[in-house]
Every structure is written in C-alpha cells, then in structure tokens.
Amino acid sequence: MKQMAFPNRKKPERSNSGLASLKSEYAIAYSVLLILFAFPFLFFPLIPATDLPQHISQIRLLLDQLARPDGNIFIGWYSPNVLVYFIILFFWQIVSPVMAGNLTLYLLILAGTGAIFFYAYRLQRPVETALLASLFMWNLNLNWGFFNFLLGWPFFLLWLMLFPSNPRTWRWFALALLAYCLLWSHALWFMVTCFWSAVYLLFQKRRWLYDFWRLSTLLPAGIYSLVWFPRLSSLRRLGGFQLSPRWANWPWERLVPHRLVDQFFGNIRGPVEGFLLFLVFMWLVLSFLTHRKNLRKQLSPVPLSAAFTLFGIGLLAPDFFMNTLYFAARWMPWGLALLMLAMPVPRIDRFFRLSFASVLLLSLLVATSAAWHGFNRLEMKNFMTLIDQLNSQNQLLQLDFEKTSSYVKGRPFLQSVAYFQAVKDGEIQFSFLQHGNGIVSYKRPIPSAWNNKLDWQAESLKINDLYYFDRVMVQASDSLHTRLAAHFGLIPVTLTGRWRLYRIEADSIRALDQDRSILDLYR
C-alpha cells in the first residue's frame, strides 16, 4: 500500500547526542524502578489487592476443568478480559499459587510503568515527566486487584502512539492486532479506544479515506465483541447480578478534594496520597504559568485529548454498571498520567525537577510498603495458617465483620476466601465462575442455596446458611468471636487472632432455633 501523508505536529528537535543522553536517562531510571518496585510485591506474602485471590483461583479451576471436564463450565481461551490469565498460568508453573498472583501484579505494574516511560521518551519529554506520571500506577485499580484492567493500560498507550501515524499496510495489521489485545485484556479498554479514536479523528482535518482506514482496524475486534457481549449480559442477568447503571455521586460531587484523592490514587490510608496529589497539581500549575505564552506549541495533542476523554468518562459515567465496580473512577488515574505526559515540564532548575519527581515517587513507594507491612503483620497475621489447616474436601464460608483495613482503602478482605480454593482446591461460597468473564465460567449459572450476599454483608448470616458448609473462617473482634460461636453452635478450631476457624456440626445447628440470625446478637 502506498504511504499516505497525514498531518502530524512535529516533535521538538533534538540532536543525536541529546536523544542518546535522554535514552540513557530513561534506561537508568526504569532499571532503578524495576528493582524498587520489586520490594513490596516480593517481600510481603499477601498483597492487599481485593480480586487477586479470585484471579489465581481461576487458574486452579482451569486446571481442574482440563483434568476433569464439567459440562457446565466453559473455557474462554480467546474471550475478552482473559489475557492476564496466561501470565498467571505461566508463573503458576514455577512458583506457588500465591506468589504467582504477586508476580503477575508486579509484572502488570512494570508493564504499565514501562509503557509510560516509552511514550514519554517518544514524546521527548524529560525523564521526570515519566517519573511523575508513574505515580498513578499505584491507584484504585491496583487496590481492588483489577488485573485484566491493569493489563489494558500499556496496550492503550501503544494505540495512542500508533493510531495517529502515517498509514501503511503493516501498520493496519499492527493496529488490528492491538485492538484485539485491548479487547482480550479488558472490554472496557476496547470500548474507550473506539470512542477516543472517533473523537480524535473528528478534530483532525477531514480525510475520509484515511479516517476509514484507521477506524477499520477496530472492525475485527468490534465484531467479535458484539458476538461476546450478549452472552456476558445473559450470564450475569441469570446469575442475579445488577446490570443497570447507577450513579452514587453527581459529577460536581466527584470533584470534592477527598473524592479526587480516592479517584486518582485510592490505594493507602493516611495523608500521603492527598499531599502528593496537591504537589502534582502544583507542578501542573507551575508548568502552565512558565509556558503560558507558548503553551499551545508545547502541548502534546494526542495524550492531551486522551486525558480529557478519560476525565470526561470519570466525571459523567455511572459509578456502577453491568456489575462493574468503579465504572467511572477507574479511568481517572490514567487520565492524570496522560495529562502529565501532555504538559511540558516547568521552566525551573533541572536538578530540582528531577529531585522533586524522584522524592514524590519514592515517598509513595515507602508509604505503600509501610501500609502493606501493617496489613500483613497485623490484619492478615494468621490467615494462611488457617488455610493450611484445611483440605480439598472442605466447604469453606468466610464471614468478614471488620470489612475495612486500617492501612489500605477499599475492601481488601472481600475475596480472601478464594486463597483457599487456589491453594487447596476446596469449595467456597463465591467464585468468579459466576461472573461470566473469567477464563473459566459457567455456561449456565448455578443459583446459590445460601445467601449470596454473605461475602459483602456477613451480618446477613442466618443459621440456614451454615448447612452448606463444614468450615467457617471469621474475621471479627474478640467479643464478637465469642458471641458468634455460642449463638450458632460453631466449634472453634483456632482460639486466638482476628481471623479464626470454626467447624460446623450439622447435628449441633439442627438443635438450635432455625430462625436465628446475626441480628439477634445486636438486640
């Protein structure tokens, strides 16, 4: 195909020696981060990423399905949202299941950071721009363990680099493959890529042939997504999940300072994230003030347009849709990272800029490590000891009465029960099999005989729910542990710790009043 001219804004001119120096700076900085980022992921056994246990549990279920096929279970090797499971499966072969999850998360953070560095280098931004943009890898998507969503970020940055380039035959195939990788990583990234691509071309000089050439690269993956989505929707509807959009906050309410901190970071508790966000905003203000006379020439239009696209979604989209948490907020940290790449650095001393960016990133890493240390040392101290006392024949119910952590945000204990399924291959109260978008899922959902809200609302437990399990793992205060065991006839297996294991004897609970519930303890 003949090369076609397409208008692009010129990058700043740099000499060969300048480019070599810039490349060296980026290589050194990324190598240092590769080592520093390894510390929290490899040193702490349990990472407070909510969905992490369910993701590694999917590999256990996959291997079980391959060994002992179940006619009601579907393996979606090429379905949207499943690419990350190939990474987990690779690590599963060489390390323990828990470490496989940790290494996968480490690799996702490295890949996202590497993509930021590569894009910043392509834009010929100083290395401090990439360092500051990398702050926003440590965000609520990491905190909630949205593995497949994290994987979509580097592919999106690659799309931003390739899509505006001059059309060539090989580039069409590269973009079409990249579009499928976006869909294979997470369907939402593919959806947003389609939207941004259309918006970007809308503001370019109209060249119908070129525009069609670019947008046609989305068609193969787009057709596949249209075939896949009705199946996902049907499975979730049959599974009893709420699919309708829901707004918890109006757009202007999302701009309240503490909500902005939770949207742009949303990882650890304490003042660190708020202070860092304030300093980043000051950096952007200083950049604007020192370049205000020629700011338009200094801006990079592609990342800027992508940043405002993601900000628009973050402000206007529903908070919850298709059983997807943080449907809107999950885009905000990526938007701010792109804004950092789009803006020129402030015209101040280079040593100060580099020191400022390095100190901010190091501060966040230290604060995160301290939070994860507290989470492991105090809140999950004896958790894996309880898992070791179980076997594959057990049916385990988790009841979490603490719900939140003193160190990290969100609900880090929500899916902890899935560690049991991943490590011991036992049965648990809820699995991502029921979600319909993992690498293994039900063809037709199986309704739960027990209350399916127990993972979110342990206080909704009734005695009838206990008949379907033979072990209960409870996180609660000492006083609640004592009252809970007596009230439901639970037999303690362990006697100390915030996490405790109980045995359920069917004969014991049959002798109790069958109308008993947790609410009785609070009357």
Side-chain angles (χ1 to χ4, degrees):
M1 181 177 179
K2 186 179 178 181
Q3 181 174 338
M4 305 176 188
F6 192 82
N8 275 308
R9 181 165 295 179
K10 278 191 172 184
K11 296 177 184 177
E13 295 285 342
R14 277 182 183 262
S15 64
N16 290 336
S17 60
L19 284 174
S21 175
L22 185 67
K23 187 176 183 179
S24 177
E25 288 181 7
Y26 270 90
I28 293 171
Y30 186 70
S31 299
V32 171
L33 290 187
L34 187 148
I35 297 170
L36 291 178
F37 284 4
F39 174 77
F41 291 102
L42 304 182
F43 184 78
F44 301 117
L46 298 176
I47 304 300
T50 305
D51 286 350
L52 187 156
Q54 289 284 4
H55 288 305
I56 58 175
S57 176
Q58 279 272 300
I59 302 304
R60 173 69 71 184
L61 295 169
L62 170 65
L63 297 177
D64 286 349
Q65 176 65 10
L66 292 173
R68 299 178 297 277
D70 182 328
N72 191 39
I73 292 180
F74 168 76
I75 301 179
W77 295 110
Y78 308 110
S79 298
N81 303 353
V82 306
L83 180 57
V84 75
Y85 295 111
F86 291 92
I87 302 174
I88 304 174
L89 180 60
F90 169 78
F91 286 123
W92 184 285
Q93 308 302 316
I94 55 178
V95 294
S96 69
V98 175
M99 183 54 71
N102 295 357
L103 286 175
T104 301
L105 200 51
Y106 170 55
L107 185 63
L108 292 176
I109 296 301
L110 281 186
T113 304
I116 288 173
F117 269 60
F118 184 56
Y119 195 18
Y121 173 75
R122 284 281 301 268
L123 295 169
Q124 297 184 18
R125 297 296 190 198
V127 71
E128 50 267 33
T129 295
L131 290 172
L132 286 175
S134 298
L135 284 169
F136 301 101
M137 288 300 305
W138 302 80
N139 57 46
L140 63 88
N141 297 295
L142 167 63
N143 175 262
W144 279 89
F146 297 155
F147 276 39
N148 31 25
F149 192 75
L150 286 167
L151 183 57
W153 166 245
F155 288 119
F156 182 67
L157 289 187
L158 288 174
W159 183 269
L160 296 184
M161 293 181 229
L162 281 178
F163 186 76
S165 305
N166 293 330
R168 293 179 182 174
T169 303
W170 71 265
R171 192 166 281 134
W172 189 96
F173 289 102
L175 284 170
L177 177 62
L178 192 52
Y180 181 72
C181 287
L182 282 157
L183 182 64
W184 205 12
S185 299
H186 201 290
L188 289 181
W189 273 117
F190 176 72
M191 176 190 73
V192 167
T193 298
C194 293
F195 179 72
W196 173 80
S197 301
V199 170
Y200 175 78
L201 292 179
L202 189 65
F203 287 93
Q204 300 299 308
K205 184 178 180 181
R206 193 69 61 246
R207 294 170 180 258
W208 297 106
L209 180 60
Y210 302 156
D211 293 352
F212 175 77
W213 182 94
R214 283 179 169 78
L215 292 177
S216 67
T217 60
L218 295 163
L219 282 176
I223 293 170
Y224 184 58
S225 69
L226 293 176
V227 173
W228 164 81
F229 184 76
R231 175 183 173 273
L232 174 69
S233 181
S234 175
L235 282 172
R236 291 196 169 179
R237 187 176 294 106
L238 290 171
F241 297 110
Q242 183 170 342
L243 307 184
S244 58
R246 191 169 71 233
W247 282 262
N249 300 292
W250 293 102
W252 53 88
E253 294 175 324
R254 297 176 183 179
L255 298 175
V256 174
H258 76 271
R259 288 203 177 103
L260 284 177
V261 173
D262 287 344
Q263 290 173 93
F264 288 126
F265 286 111
N267 192 19
I268 59 175
R269 296 194 181 276
V272 173
E273 290 183 344
F275 185 60
L276 293 178
L277 186 61
F278 172 76
L279 292 177
V280 167
F281 282 161
M282 291 300 99
W283 171 280
L284 292 172
V285 169
L286 192 58
S287 173
F288 173 79
L289 292 176
T290 56
H291 291 277
R292 61 186 180 277
K293 292 183 179 179
N294 63 341
L295 181 63
R296 189 172 181 180
K297 294 180 180 179
Q298 298 293 323
L299 288 171
S300 296
V302 173
L304 185 67
S305 63
F308 281 106
T309 298
L310 299 187
F311 286 149
I313 297 171
L315 288 175
L316 301 175
D319 295 280
F320 185 92
F321 181 54
M322 287 290 297
N323 197 51
T324 301
L325 294 174
Y326 296 99
F327 189 88
R330 62 176 60 202
W331 304 102
M332 296 295 274
W334 311 130
L336 192 50
L338 285 166
L339 183 60
M340 298 297 299
L341 295 175
M343 292 286 287
V345 294
R347 284 176 172 162
I348 54 177
D349 182 71
R350 173 76 198 283
F351 177 78
F352 177 81
R353 292 198 318 250
L354 193 56
S355 301
F356 178 84
S358 301
V359 168
L360 261 62
L361 189 54
L362 187 61
S363 299
L364 182 61
L365 186 61
V366 170
T368 301
S369 298
W372 290 9
H373 174 65
F375 175 80
N376 276 268
R377 187 174 65 89
L378 297 177
E379 297 179 334
M380 300 293 281
K381 182 179 180 181
N382 66 328
F383 181 84
M384 292 308 294
T385 304
L386 303 188
I387 299 296
D388 290 339
Q389 298 185 45
L390 299 166
N391 60 64
S392 61
Q393 304 304 312
N394 292 134
Q395 294 88 40
L396 181 64
L397 170 66
Q398 174 181 295
L399 297 173
D400 175 22
F401 292 96
E402 293 294 322
K403 290 184 171 57
T404 58
S405 165
S406 300
Y407 300 96
V408 296
K409 296 175 180 177
R411 292 286 302 273
F413 313 111
L414 185 68
Q415 306 290 358
S416 298
V417 67
Y419 277 120
F420 167 58
Q421 188 171 63
V423 174
K424 293 297 183 77
D425 200 15
E427 296 294 327
I428 57 177
Q429 71 218 53
F430 173 75
S431 166
F432 273 11
L433 274 172
Q434 297 160 264
H435 265 183
N437 68 338
I439 195 166
V440 285
S441 60
Y442 285 128
K443 293 179 181 177
R444 187 171 184 84
I446 301 175
S448 300
W450 55 89
N451 178 2
N452 61 7
K453 301 295 183 184
L454 289 174
D455 48 347
W456 285 91
Q457 301 167 0
E459 60 275 9
S460 65
L461 175 72
K462 294 184 178 180
I463 200 164
N464 291 338
D465 297 319
L466 298 175
Y467 283 110
Y468 305 97
F469 305 91
D470 61 10
R471 296 292 187 275
V472 184
M473 186 164 56
V474 180
Q475 180 181 212
S477 62
D478 288 342
S479 61
L480 184 54
H481 271 295
T482 303
R483 288 181 291 148
L484 188 70
H487 190 67
F488 286 105
L490 303 176
I491 302 170
V493 177
T494 58
L495 299 173
T496 59
R498 61 187 287 161
W499 288 95
R500 297 183 194 178
L501 186 63
Y502 297 90
R503 190 171 72 252
I504 299 172
E505 294 288 351
D507 292 339
S508 299
I509 61 176
R510 282 195 192 98
L512 301 173
D513 180 2
Q514 299 302 295
D515 292 328
R516 289 192 178 192
S517 70
I518 288 286
L519 297 178
D520 299 330
L521 300 179
Y522 299 96
R523 288 172 183 164

